[in-house]
Every structure is written in C-alpha cells, then in structure tokens.
Amino acid sequence: MIDPVALRSLVAVEAHGSVGAAAAALDYTPSAVSQQIKRLETQTGVQLLERQGRGVLLTEAGRTLSESARDLLAHMERLESRIHGASGETVGTVRLATFATAYRGVVVGAIGRLRAVAPDVTLRPDEIDPWDAVDAVAAGTHDLALVHNWEPLPLAIPDHLEVRDLGRDRADVLVHEDHPLATRDSIGVTDVLDEAWASVAPGSICHQWLQKMYFDVGRAPRIAHVALEFATHVALVAQGEAIALVPRLGRGPLPPGVVAVPIVEPVSERTVSLVWRRTMTDRPALAATVEALAAEAALDLS
C-alpha cells in the first residue's frame, strides 16, 4: 500500500523544487524525505525523481503520481476535518505562514488568545513572504497563511483555498524631524520623487508597491539602502540617511527624531487576509486559530 506520508513528501518536492526545501517546508530532515521518496519508488516500481543541476525534477511518472496524490491527500484531509469536527475536539498543531509585521503585530497576541480558549492547539508560525505563503498552503506544507496585498497589485489565490479578509493596514512615509516634509499633514508621491529610500529586497510585495508608486508618475525610486527588517529602515531614518515607507501594523512607537507622514496620493494601503485550504474548514483547531487571529487583528487594523 502506498504511504500517504510519502505522497505528501513527493508533492512537496514538486512544489519546492528540491528535497532540502521540501524537508524544510514539512519540518522533516532531507534524509527522511529522500527515504520516503525511495519507499514510493519501491512501492510503485518506477523512478519518480531525476537530478537537475542542484535540484531535482519529477519524472513523468512522478508528475502523474503527484497529481493523483494531491487529490487523494485533499480527500483524506477533508475526511479528517469532518471527523475532528464531529468529535468536537479542538486539538492539534496548526502550521501558520505569516509575514514579518503581522507576526509581531497579530500572531504574538493571538498565541495568548489561543492558549486561553484552546490550550490543546499548538500554533507553529513560520515567517514567509505572502506569495510563497499562499503556495505553501496550496501545496499542503502549511495549514494557514496570514498574508497581505497592496492594492491593486494581484495576489493570486487558487480556487481550492478559502480567504477571510481581516482589515486594511496603512503605511506612512517616515522622515527625520528636520526633513522639510516632517511638518506636512500628508504628502503625495510627487513630493518625494528625488528622495533616497530605504527599501526591502527586490521581489517582495512591499518593494513592488514602492516601484509601482513611482512607475505611475514615470519615474523610478532612488533606493539607497536595502534591508529586510523595517526596524532597520526606521534606524536609517533616525540617522537622516533615507526616508522609508513603513506599514503601521507591528511598527510600534517611533524613536525620537522620526516622524510619520501619511501618504495620500496614492494611498498606501494593504489588505490583510487569512488563507486556508477548503478541506480544512471543518477542523476545530483551524477554526479556533482563525478566530484568535481575527480577534487580535481587529485591534490593529481598520
């Protein structure tokens, strides 16, 4: 009989492109994933993976098996959810993919809420960029994702996923208190065309939004510093080295010398949402986690 755990490993390898990445997503060791794939090859009598540079590709047989495995695993997940729902037991582990500011601004508080109402549920957050977080939920390596989307940039959600919007988060332009814009009630992108920016890395949604703001006026932002953490952006602003576009969610109090100025042309606003597989909807542990996250987000989002 084909092992469903091994099937999930195969699906993860296809989704992530390597045994190592699949192991990290599943919280296994690479050796364990390799052994599970070898077990599948023994059970099916066909080769499922082939080397491609530093990664691996699924053979035609592997792709066929993986496609069928996704349907089978979804059916099993739906069945398990119904069983847990019928029993009413709110127990288990929920793997959450979340972005950095939501981890700090929403997830930490939700962990305490969840402990109070569902002490037998363990929430395991991983910090993952929204595009990858959606893929992780769609592929089954995570149960739930807390994501954001800067309007009108698209965040594609597959049809088999459920979405619950939690609210909207604004971003302000942070400037040093001696900056000419520090006394303004609001600004537009035309006020900062020649400024030096601190930005997150290219490829992230926040970086893409900054690029789009300038693209709409036929320019490109002058990015002087690239740093992954918004806390670093705030520190750069405090030194007068750059300005920064920083969301309010999870931002915390600003240090002396840093002023937040709303940007209104365009309004820098993002939708914050929860995403999960429809097959998980009836699972009490997931439902309790969703409600804890939603309750905490209601305190911070408009």
Side-chain angles (χ1 to χ4, degrees):
M1 180 178 294
I2 294 178
D3 182 357
V5 175
L7 287 176
R8 190 172 295 281
S9 292
L10 180 67
V11 171
V13 169
E14 182 180 33
H16 296 281
S18 72
V19 169
L26 293 169
D27 202 19
Y28 296 157
T29 65
S31 175
V33 171
S34 295
Q35 290 174 9
Q36 289 164 4
I37 300 298
K38 289 178 181 177
R39 187 182 309 125
L40 274 180
E41 290 180 331
T42 299
Q43 291 169 340
T44 59
V46 295
Q47 182 181 350
L48 301 174
L49 299 181
E50 57 186 5
R51 289 275 179 198
Q52 178 68 28
R54 294 185 177 181
V56 293
L57 292 176
L58 270 66
T59 64
E60 183 175 353
R63 290 193 299 271
T64 299
L65 181 57
S66 179
E67 181 178 354
S68 298
R70 285 194 294 271
D71 294 336
L72 176 60
L73 291 170
H75 180 74
M76 292 177 63
E77 191 170 80
R78 189 180 299 109
L79 179 59
E80 290 173 358
S81 294
R82 288 176 179 173
I83 292 171
H84 283 294
S87 71
E89 291 183 312
T90 308
V91 298
T93 297
V94 176
R95 293 202 63 180
L96 171 70
T98 182
F99 58 99
T101 51
Y103 201 150
R104 185 166 57 250
V106 175
V107 176
V108 172
I111 291 173
R113 288 178 180 271
L114 193 61
R115 185 181 300 114
V117 299
D120 293 325
V121 174
T122 300
L123 183 60
R124 296 189 56 189
D126 291 317
E127 194 173 305
I128 303 176
D129 201 59
W131 287 317
D132 294 331
V134 171
D135 289 343
V137 173
T141 59
H142 287 72
D143 306 308
L144 183 65
L146 186 53
V147 300
H148 67 81
N149 186 37
W150 293 97
E151 306 293 349
L153 298 176
L155 182 65
I157 307 294
D159 291 339
H160 69 289
L161 302 186
E162 292 283 354
V163 180
R164 176 171 171 176
D165 291 339
L166 301 183
R168 300 178 72 80
D169 180 33
R170 295 287 294 272
D172 302 308
V173 175
L174 304 188
V175 300
H176 191 272
E177 62 181 357
D178 295 331
H179 195 284
L181 296 176
T183 58
R184 294 277 294 273
D185 293 329
S186 63
I187 59 174
V189 68
T190 55
D191 297 313
V192 292
L193 290 180
D194 298 314
E195 297 288 342
W197 287 89
S199 173
V200 293
S204 68
I205 291 181
C206 292
H207 181 272
Q208 189 175 7
W209 172 251
L210 182 61
Q211 294 281 348
K212 185 183 184 305
M213 282 173 46
Y214 274 74
F215 179 81
D216 289 344
V217 293
R219 297 283 292 274
R222 185 162 66 90
I223 297 175
H225 298 275
V226 175
L228 294 178
E229 295 185 348
F230 285 121
T232 305
H233 300 187
V234 174
L236 288 165
V237 174
Q239 292 296 317
E241 292 294 324
I243 67 172
L245 184 68
V246 179
R248 296 174 184 175
L249 178 63
R251 187 169 70 196
L254 295 174
V258 176
V259 177
V261 185
I263 182 166
V264 298
E265 294 180 4
V267 172
S268 291
E269 193 172 60
R270 58 184 180 173
T271 301
V272 178
S273 307
L274 285 168
V275 179
W276 66 90
R277 292 183 299 283
R278 192 168 294 121
T279 53
M280 293 279 287
T281 298
D282 292 332
R283 183 167 293 183
L286 182 84
T289 304
V290 167
E291 293 306 319
L293 290 165
E296 192 65 26
L299 300 176
D300 299 293
L301 300 173
S302 59

